[in-house]
Amino acid sequence: MSTLAKGRILVTGGAGFIGSALVWALNQRGYTDIVVIDFLAPGKTWRGEVAVSHGAGLKRLNLAPLKFAQFVEADSFRSRIARNANAFGRFGTVLHLGACSATTETNAAYLDDNNFACTKEMVVWSLAQGARFVYASSAATYGNGSAGMDDKSENLAALHPLNLYGQSKHNFDLYAQKNGLLRKIVRVKYFNVYGLNEGHKGDMCSIVNKVFEQINSTGRLKLFKSHRHDCRDGEQKRDFLYVKDAIEMALHFCEKATTIGSLFNLGSGKAHTWLELADTIFDAIGKPVQIDFIDMPEQLRDKLPVFHASGHL
């Protein structure tokens, strides 16, 4: 029996990109007893309210067509379950996607609290309820990939993320391993997910979204030059995964008992170059290929991997 049918479902980050798609997929399966947790701008209600900020307004649009039992602001949810673990009833499945996903975030204390401390609280609370805990880690934990990207390896200490976001995710993985929690939860590491409902992410939108918007609006594309001698301009690689495929994979792990205690890379298993992506989008839009290579900012050069794929490199 799927754990989805065993009780209420909690989705943190449920108004965001992958989270809203996940709630949509749950609705398609007939599940509506869902509690959605996220951050939205202050206001009386989110339904029909004029957006206070662009990002929050787009998040509201993400939620508008979805069916769920309750929306709770993330900070309120966190404080209330700290006082009373049963404040929102019991849950059969907890899908924890809520996090700061900005790879350029420099506030280490914020990331430590939001991505690490909060996740520790969530996993302890979920397991105490007997809920299945499916947690969204990140491919950013693999760093530049020099230590491999094997989701069956237990040598987590060998991984060295390139940015504070990746490190915050990695810190939880290390904590969970040290405290014997990895055997009790499901971890998924998303690679480069793209698709609908990305608009609120701003600069953190997927490269697929950014490439499409640039080409569609200007007829040209600006790509960062490679700063590595072993990689030509435009040959940087990423593993691109459509969001509907990503959520089908995540829900699979809610339905298979054998997946508990496992880590899974979620990607296509094949990396494609930025040039391949650009050519595909230029062709789909029906415009000639026009690419300008620009210098990558110094502060980003050591923070982004050149090659990143969910398969073995």
Side-chain angles (χ1 to χ4, degrees):
M1 179 182 182
S2 168
T3 58
L4 294 173
K6 292 184 178 180
R8 304 186 84 195
I9 301 168
L10 181 75
V11 181
T12 70
F17 169 37
I18 299 177
S20 60
L22 190 54
V23 175
W24 173 85
L26 288 168
N27 288 170
Q28 299 304 300
R29 287 165 163 77
Y31 298 109
T32 58
D33 193 7
I34 304 166
V35 176
V36 174
I37 311 298
D38 212 317
F39 286 108
L40 294 175
K44 294 181 180 179
T45 64
W46 65 268
R47 289 186 188 272
E49 181 190 350
V50 176
V52 177
S53 70
H54 180 67
L58 291 175
K59 274 191 171 184
R60 286 179 172 81
L61 292 178
N62 290 349
L63 287 177
L66 305 179
K67 296 178 181 179
F68 49 92
Q70 188 176 8
F71 173 85
V72 185
E73 285 284 341
D75 52 356
S76 175
F77 180 84
R78 188 178 180 187
S79 62
R80 288 176 64 181
I81 64 169
R83 295 192 301 269
N84 175 12
N86 294 316
F88 297 93
R90 300 185 69 83
F91 293 84
T93 305
V94 174
L95 293 147
H96 183 46
L97 285 80
C100 170
S101 60
T103 57
T104 55
E105 178 60 60
T106 59
N107 188 332
Y110 167 65
L111 287 168
D112 182 68
D113 181 60
N114 197 54
N115 291 7
F116 177 45
C118 182
T119 304
K120 288 196 297 181
E121 296 165 15
M122 287 295 301
V123 71
V124 171
W125 172 79
S126 299
L127 294 178
Q129 292 213 4
R132 175 169 293 200
F133 187 79
V134 180
Y135 160 67
S137 183
S138 170
T141 59
Y142 288 125
N144 64 10
S146 60
M149 298 182 185
D150 184 1
D151 56 10
K152 298 298 181 284
S153 173
E154 296 184 359
N155 188 16
L156 298 182
L159 304 180
H160 300 287
L162 298 177
N163 49 57
L164 291 176
Y165 159 71
Q167 188 62 52
S168 69
K169 289 289 192 176
H170 187 50
N171 286 344
F172 173 75
D173 290 345
L174 292 171
Y175 165 83
Q177 184 178 57
K178 180 179 179 180
N179 290 276
L181 297 175
L182 296 184
R183 299 188 301 272
K184 303 175 182 179
I185 65 177
V186 180
R187 289 177 301 146
V188 294
K189 291 193 176 185
Y190 288 108
F191 278 69
N192 294 267
V193 183
Y194 68 94
L196 301 174
N197 293 4
E198 287 192 67
H200 66 281
K201 293 174 69 68
D203 286 343
M204 288 297 108
C205 280
S206 69
I207 186 174
V208 176
N209 181 289
K210 291 179 177 180
V211 168
F212 173 81
E213 292 295 337
Q214 273 196 52
I215 295 173
N216 195 45
S217 61
T218 70
R220 302 186 68 86
L221 175 64
K222 292 181 179 180
L223 289 177
F224 286 139
K225 294 178 182 177
S226 172
H227 63 282
R228 292 261 299 262
H229 64 84
D230 59 344
C231 179
R232 294 180 298 179
D233 293 343
E235 295 296 327
Q236 300 98 318
K237 290 185 176 182
R238 294 291 186 274
D239 186 336
F240 301 109
L241 180 66
Y242 183 48
V243 66
K244 286 188 177 181
D245 294 327
I247 58 178
E248 284 301 316
M249 293 175 183
L251 290 178
H252 170 80
F253 303 131
C254 297
E255 299 170 339
K256 301 295 181 182
T258 55
T259 61
I260 294 178
S262 299
L263 164 66
F264 300 92
N265 287 337
L266 298 192
S268 70
K270 182 178 180 181
H272 292 276
T273 68
W274 289 2
L275 289 176
E276 288 176 317
L277 171 65
D279 287 346
T280 299
I281 295 179
F282 272 113
D283 182 64
I285 295 178
K287 294 184 178 181
V289 177
Q290 300 285 340
I291 299 176
D292 302 310
F293 288 100
I294 60 175
D295 290 329
M296 181 182 291
E298 290 277 353
Q299 65 268 26
L300 293 181
R301 293 185 182 183
D302 296 326
K303 304 299 181 184
L304 299 175
V306 174
F307 307 112
H308 229 212
S310 58
H312 297 290
L313 296 181

